[in-house]
Amino acid sequence: MTGPIALLAAAAFCVVLISLMMGAQQANDLALKRQRSTIEHALDQHGRSLARELRVQTVWSEAFDKTQERNVLWMRAFFGLYLQELFGYDRIYVLSGHDTFVYGFANNRDVRAAQFAEIEPVIRDLIAAVRNPQEVDGRYNFVSKPIDLGEDQSVTHYAVADVRNIEGTPSMVVISTIVPDRPRVSARSAPYLLIAVEDLDAQFVQNLSSIFDFQGLRWIKDAAPTGYWSDDIKAIDGSDVGRLAWQSQAPGWEFVRRVGLGLAVALVLLAVLTMLLMRWGRRQAEHLLQSEAEAREAARTDALTKLPNRLGLAEVLVPMVEQAKAQNSTLAVLLVDLDQFKEINDDFGHAFGDAVLVEVSQRLKRLLKPNAALGRAGDDDFMILAPGLDATAASGLAARIVAALVDPVTLPSGARAYAGASVGYAVAPHDGEQRDDLVRRVELALAKAKDQGGRTALAFAPEMDLELSHRRALESALRSALANDAIEVLYQPLMDPSGTQVLAVEALMRWTDPLLGPVSPEIFIPIAEETGLIQKLGEHVLRRAVADGLAWPDINVAVNVSAVQIHHSDMVAVVRDVLSGSRFPPERLEIEITESVLLADERRADEQIKGLQRLGVKVALDDFGSGYSSLLYLRKFGFDKLKIDRSFIEEIGESADSTVILDSIIQLGLELNMTVTAEGVETVEQQQWLSHSGCHQLQGFMLSRPLSFEHVTAFIAAHNIAHAAGRA
Ligand code: C2E
Ligand code: CA
Ligand code: CA
C-alpha cells in the first residue's frame, strides 16, 4: 500500500527535477539563439550605418569629377586619409565604371592594383550587387537614396555592406556608388565605386559588447572555451568570416542556481508532507477496515439482545455441522418460540416486550455450555446450536428451556408477564446435514409443538416431513381445483331459536379431490391462505353465494372472509364489485370475519369493516371466544352480528361456570344491539338453553347440516312456507 505511494512520490520528484533541468536547458538555448541574432543584427545595422555615413564623400559632384579625372592627389586626401582618420577605415579602393582598379589606399599609403586583385574575388558579389541593385535578392544589406541634381536631372545613390574575411581579418566591407549632387552631363553613365573596408577589430567588438552587454566578446580561431558561447559569422555569400565568442550567461542555470535552495527546501517539505499523508492514509485505511468489520459485525448481531441474528446464526451453523461430522459427533439445533409474546407486547407495551426478550435470552444463556451458540432467529424466536448433544441430551435441554420460561417475567412495577415457550429441535447429522433442511425440520417440530398448545418441546420426526410434502401435494391439487371450477359451495341454515324458520344461510366451501377425496376446509383454507390462493377462492365463493342467494327471498347469505383477504386485498372493493354485477340487495349479505383479523392490524380492520358497512353489508364477528377474545373488541368495532364459538355451546349443561360466561357474552351482544348467533348446536338441551338465553339465531347439525344449493332451496321452502302458514 505504502510502497507504490513512496514510488509515486519519488517519481514526482524526478519529474520536477527533470522538467526543471529541461526548462533551464530550453531557457539557455533560447538565450543563445537570441544573443546570436543580436550579434548578427548588430553587424547588419553597423554595415548599413557605415553605408549611409559614406554618402558624405560619395554623393558629391567634386568626388564624381575628381575620380573620373583619376586625380590621385584628391583621392588620397579625400578618400584615403580622410576616411581613415575620421571614420577609421583600414582600406579604401576606387573602381571605374568598368570595375577596373583606379586607386587604392591602405596603412597610410597608396597601394597597387595587384593588392586589390588579391581581395577582389572575396567581394566580387558585392560589386555586382551594387551595380544591379534591382536584380539581387533581399539578403543584401542595401541603402539607396534618389538624388535630385537640379535641371530635371536625377540619379540614385546605392551602397551595399557586408562582413567578409579580408586576408584573415573579419571586416566590414562597404561599396558605394560615387554620384554627383549637381547636374552633370555624364551623370547617368556607369558610376565609379568607392570600396571601404573596416577591420572588425578589438575596438568594434568592445563597442558591441558594451552596447549589448556581452561579457568578454572576442574573435577566436578555435572552439569556444568552456563557459563561453560562440557564433560563427557568415557572409551573405555563405563564406566564413570568423567566430565570435563571449561568456555564456546560461540564464537557465542561473535560474536553477537561484531557486535551487528554495526548491530543495520545498522538495524536503514535500517529502515530509508525503510521509505524513502516507501515515494518515494508512491510519484511515485501518479505520475503514475496522468500521467495515464493525458494520459486518452489526449486520450479524441483534441490536437488542446483542446475540447473533438470523444471518449471524446462518453463518455459524454450517461450520458447526461440519465440525460435528468431522469429529464424529452431533449438533443439536433448537428453536425456542415464545407462546405469548404478542399479547405481552399488546398488553404491556413494546419496551416491556424488549425487556422480556433480554430476560429470556439471559435465562437461555444460563442453561447453555460455553461451546453452544445462542442467537435471535426472529421476533420472538431464539436458536440454540449445541455441539455434542445427542437426541437424549437435546430432549433434556429442551425440557429445561420450557421449564425455565414458564416462570413469569416481573415488571419493575411488580406486574408479571407469562411468556411461556415452545421448543422444536433436531440433531445433526442424523436429522439433516444441509443447513436449509435442518432449519426447516426444526421449524416443523416447533410448529407441531405450538399446535399442541405451547409450553411444549418436540423433536423432529420423519413423519413431519411427510406432512409437509402432503401439504405441497394439496396445494397443487387445490390450484387445479380452483382452475377447474371444482370448488363447491354448501349452505348451512341459521334458524330462529325454535328451529322453525330459516333466517340466513352460511356459505361453506367444499372440495373433493379426485384422488385425495373430500378435503376439509380446516385443512385447505390455511394452505390457501399461506399460498395466496385464498383471494381467488374467496371471491369465487362470494360470487356464487350472491348468485345463489337471489333464489331465496328474505334470507340473509353469510360468507366467510379470512384475515388474509382483509389484510392483503381490498375486500370493500371486491364486495362492491360483486354486488354491482348482481341484483342481490347488500343488506342481505353478511360478511363473517374472525378475531384474528382484528389482532393483526386494528386500523386496517376497522377501515374495512366500516367500508363494508357503508356498502350496506352486515359484518359478523365469527367464532367469538375461540381465540384470545376480548370483550373490548365487541365495543370497539361496531359489528352487526356476533357468532359465539361452538366451544361455549358444547359446555352447556356440563358445568355451571361455562354457562355463566356464555350468558354474559349473550347479554353483552344484546346490549350492543347485535344479532346474537350460537354455533354448533347439536342437542335439544343446547337449543332449549339458548332459546331461553335470548339468542336470536341458532346454527348446528341438530338444525341442519350444510346443504347443496338444491337441498337448501327445498329446505328453506319447506320451513319458511310452513312457518308463514303457521303464522297465518
Ligand atoms: P366456520 O366459519 O366456523 O364454519 C362453521 C363450521 O362449523 C363449518 O365447518 C360447519 O360445517 C361446522 N358446523 C356447523 N354446525 C356444526 C355442528 O353442530 N357441530 C360441529 N362439530 N360442526 C358444525 P366447515 O364447513 O368444515 O368449515 C370450517 C371452517 O372453514 C369454517 O368455520 C370457516 O372458518 C372456514 N371456511 C369454510 N368455508 C369458507 C369460505 O368460503 N371462506 C373462508 N374464508 N373460510 C371458510
Ligand atoms: Ca363462519
Ligand atoms: Ca364459526
Side-chain angles (χ1 to χ4, degrees):
M1 176 85 179
T2 53
I5 293 180
L7 218 72
L8 215 69
F13 292 152
C14 288
V15 168
V16 168
L17 276 178
I18 289 171
S19 36
L20 190 74
M21 293 307 183
M22 274 167 56
Q25 189 59 51
Q26 266 173 18
N28 290 348
D29 290 352
L30 204 70
L32 176 59
K33 226 167 110 182
R34 234 186 246 134
Q35 289 188 331
R36 279 180 175 162
S37 97
T38 300
I39 287 170
E40 282 153 23
H41 209 70
L43 286 171
D44 280 356
Q45 195 77 42
H46 183 60
R48 256 198 308 275
S49 68
L50 289 186
R52 243 178 252 117
E53 275 172 11
L54 266 188
R55 280 187 201 134
V56 182
Q57 300 297 91
T58 53
V59 183
W60 186 16
S61 294
E62 190 179 315
F64 181 79
D65 296 338
K66 298 296 180 195
T67 46
Q68 304 233 336
E69 288 165 20
R70 305 193 177 207
N71 184 328
V72 171
L73 269 177
W74 189 95
M75 288 189 284
R76 183 184 301 136
F78 291 97
F79 282 163
L81 286 166
Y82 184 85
L83 291 177
Q84 177 187 282
E85 293 304 316
L86 267 85
F87 288 80
Y89 284 105
D90 297 283
R91 299 158 190 250
I92 299 292
Y93 305 100
V94 176
L95 297 188
S96 73
H98 307 289
D99 296 339
T100 54
F101 180 83
V102 174
Y103 174 73
F105 182 90
N107 296 323
N108 250 343
R109 54 191 168 79
D110 297 344
V111 293
R112 292 168 190 280
Q115 204 243 23
F116 175 71
E118 277 173 34
I119 67 160
E120 190 272 340
V122 180
I123 60 172
R124 192 175 291 154
D125 64 308
L126 293 173
I127 296 168
V130 83
R131 291 248 179 249
N132 305 294
Q134 278 82 17
E135 285 162 31
V136 293
D137 57 49
R139 289 179 301 138
Y140 281 87
N141 214 357
F142 261 103
V143 296
S144 64
K145 189 180 183 186
I147 312 290
D148 185 7
L149 303 178
E151 296 175 5
D152 287 340
Q153 283 189 21
S154 72
V155 71
T156 303
H157 170 258
Y158 292 102
V160 67
D162 193 23
V163 282
R164 295 289 146 119
N165 190 306
I166 305 294
E167 295 186 325
T169 306
S171 309
M172 182 61 74
V173 177
V174 185
I175 305 182
S176 171
T177 55
I178 302 168
V179 294
D181 56 351
R182 293 279 137 68
R184 284 290 184 279
V185 180
S186 59
R188 301 198 63 91
S189 61
Y192 275 46
L193 301 178
L194 176 71
I195 299 169
V197 179
E198 180 196 42
D199 287 359
L200 294 175
D201 51 17
Q203 182 60 45
F204 163 79
V205 162
Q206 210 178 348
N207 287 347
L208 196 66
S209 48
S210 67
I211 294 169
F212 294 103
D213 194 28
F214 287 100
Q215 303 294 314
L217 186 69
R218 60 190 151 99
W219 295 101
I220 56 167
K221 291 259 180 288
D222 307 313
T226 45
Y228 276 76
W229 279 344
S230 66
D231 188 17
D232 288 334
I233 308 296
K234 300 231 185 253
I236 287 165
D237 64 357
S239 60
D240 287 322
V241 176
R243 178 175 293 161
L244 272 173
W246 65 97
Q247 269 176 29
S248 68
Q249 288 179 336
W253 302 132
E254 178 67 14
F255 173 76
V256 170
R257 202 172 54 76
R258 288 208 198 138
V259 301
L261 186 67
L263 198 73
V265 171
L267 285 182
V268 167
L269 285 179
L270 212 66
V272 170
L273 191 72
T274 309
M275 243 166 59
L276 289 176
L277 272 177
M278 268 160 60
R279 206 175 292 167
W280 179 78
R282 207 167 23 222
R283 219 167 302 144
Q284 288 303 102
E286 280 162 8
H287 281 180
L288 212 66
L289 281 177
Q290 197 181 331
S291 57
E292 197 182 283
E294 280 165 9
R296 270 180 61 86
E297 184 66 20
R300 283 156 182 74
T301 307
D302 169 50
L304 177 66
T305 58
K306 308 285 180 264
L307 296 173
N309 59 15
R310 184 175 277 277
L311 185 64
L313 282 166
E315 281 182 358
V316 293
L317 179 55
V318 175
M320 285 178 88
V321 172
E322 291 305 315
Q323 198 185 12
K325 269 171 39 187
Q327 297 175 346
N328 226 345
S329 177
T330 53
L331 176 74
V333 180
L334 297 86
L335 203 52
V336 181
D337 181 278
L338 300 184
D339 293 329
Q340 252 93 53
F341 184 66
K342 204 179 147 32
E343 291 70 35
I344 289 173
N345 255 341
D346 288 351
D347 297 347
F348 299 97
H350 286 275
F352 185 67
D354 286 354
V356 168
L357 289 174
V358 172
E359 168 66 21
V360 167
S361 73
Q362 281 161 359
R363 284 188 196 175
L364 291 175
K365 210 174 263 170
R366 282 198 286 273
L367 295 172
L368 301 179
K369 287 194 187 146
N371 68 348
L374 169 66
R376 188 170 169 200
D379 282 348
D380 56 351
D381 289 356
F382 293 88
M383 185 177 271
I384 292 162
L385 306 173
L389 263 58
D390 61 9
T392 319
S395 138
L397 176 60
R400 284 196 294 281
I401 290 170
V402 172
L405 298 181
V406 164
D407 289 343
V409 177
T410 310
L411 277 168
S413 68
R416 295 164 143 213
Y418 292 85
S422 303
V423 180
Y425 62 94
V427 178
H430 178 265
D431 293 331
E433 298 185 11
Q434 301 302 312
R435 183 179 66 190
D436 290 348
D437 283 347
L438 206 48
V439 170
R440 188 173 48 78
R441 287 171 178 169
V442 175
E443 281 171 350
L444 280 175
L446 176 63
K448 258 267 160 358
K450 289 189 86 74
D451 279 352
Q452 296 188 1
R455 288 171 170 72
T456 312
L458 263 191
F460 166 76
E463 53 271 24
M464 294 178 185
D465 256 353
L466 284 178
E467 275 171 37
L468 192 74
S469 62
H470 183 60
R471 276 173 82 84
R472 299 241 165 86
L474 276 180
E475 182 196 329
S476 68
L478 181 59
R479 240 175 242 286
S480 49
L482 183 64
N484 301 330
D485 203 12
I487 303 291
E488 303 287 332
V489 180
L490 297 191
Y491 299 93
Q492 186 176 32
L494 282 77
M495 312 201 63
D496 74 306
S498 67
T500 50
Q501 192 188 359
V502 181
L503 301 174
V505 292
E506 178 179 3
L508 294 164
M509 254 189 264
R510 288 293 176 267
W511 170 37
T512 303
D513 181 78
L515 292 175
L516 302 164
V519 183
S520 160
E522 300 200 276
I523 304 279
F524 74 78
I525 284 180
I527 294 174
E529 286 177 339
E530 277 169 34
T531 54
L533 275 173
I534 192 68
Q535 324 273 18
K536 283 188 178 168
L537 272 176
E539 198 176 323
H540 169 79
V541 174
L542 181 65
R543 281 189 196 283
R544 173 67 68 81
V546 163
D548 289 349
L550 290 170
W552 318 307
D554 305 327
I555 300 280
N556 281 6
V557 176
V559 175
N560 294 285
V561 165
S562 87
V564 177
Q565 287 172 277
I566 295 281
H567 293 293
H568 294 90
S569 64
D570 185 358
M571 272 319 289
V572 180
V574 172
V575 171
R576 187 194 295 122
D577 180 56
V578 170
L579 285 176
S580 73
S582 149
R583 284 177 292 108
F584 193 83
E587 59 278 7
R588 276 177 53 206
L589 181 63
E590 295 175 5
I591 297 293
E592 296 189 6
I593 61 172
T594 60
E595 286 162 323
S596 59
V597 171
L598 312 177
L599 287 171
D601 180 350
E602 286 191 9
R603 265 196 36 203
R604 168 91 184 163
D606 193 44
E607 271 170 24
Q608 292 276 307
I609 291 166
K610 296 237 165 69
L612 289 168
Q613 288 173 332
R614 270 197 293 276
L615 295 176
V617 172
K618 298 199 166 56
V619 181
L621 179 58
D622 200 2
D623 301 342
F624 183 78
S626 65
Y628 314 107
S629 5
S630 158
L631 294 176
L632 273 179
Y633 284 141
L634 284 184
R635 295 192 191 277
K636 208 160 171 182
F637 302 92
F639 290 105
D640 302 286
K641 186 171 189 174
L642 179 63
K643 294 187 78 176
I644 301 165
D645 192 65
R646 197 162 65 226
S647 57
F648 288 98
I649 313 306
E650 271 171 7
E651 289 180 29
I652 291 172
E654 307 253 307
S655 75
D657 280 5
S658 59
T659 43
V660 171
I661 300 173
L662 176 59
D663 195 46
S664 61
I665 293 172
I666 295 168
Q667 295 315 313
L668 184 63
L670 296 173
E671 206 176 290
L672 293 172
N673 269 326
M674 291 189 278
T675 304
V676 180
T677 304
E679 294 186 299
V681 182
E682 294 183 346
T683 64
V684 180
E685 194 190 357
Q686 289 164 351
Q687 186 200 0
Q688 281 173 351
W689 192 95
L690 289 163
S691 60
H692 284 116
S693 69
C695 250
H696 299 117
Q697 300 183 358
L698 306 183
Q699 178 182 7
F701 293 166
M702 200 213 95
L703 299 153
S704 170
R705 294 206 166 239
L707 304 169
S708 66
F709 170 73
E710 290 77 18
H711 286 122
V712 86
T713 307
F715 186 90
I716 292 166
H719 284 80
N720 289 15
I721 290 165
H723 180 82
R727 262 201 317 201

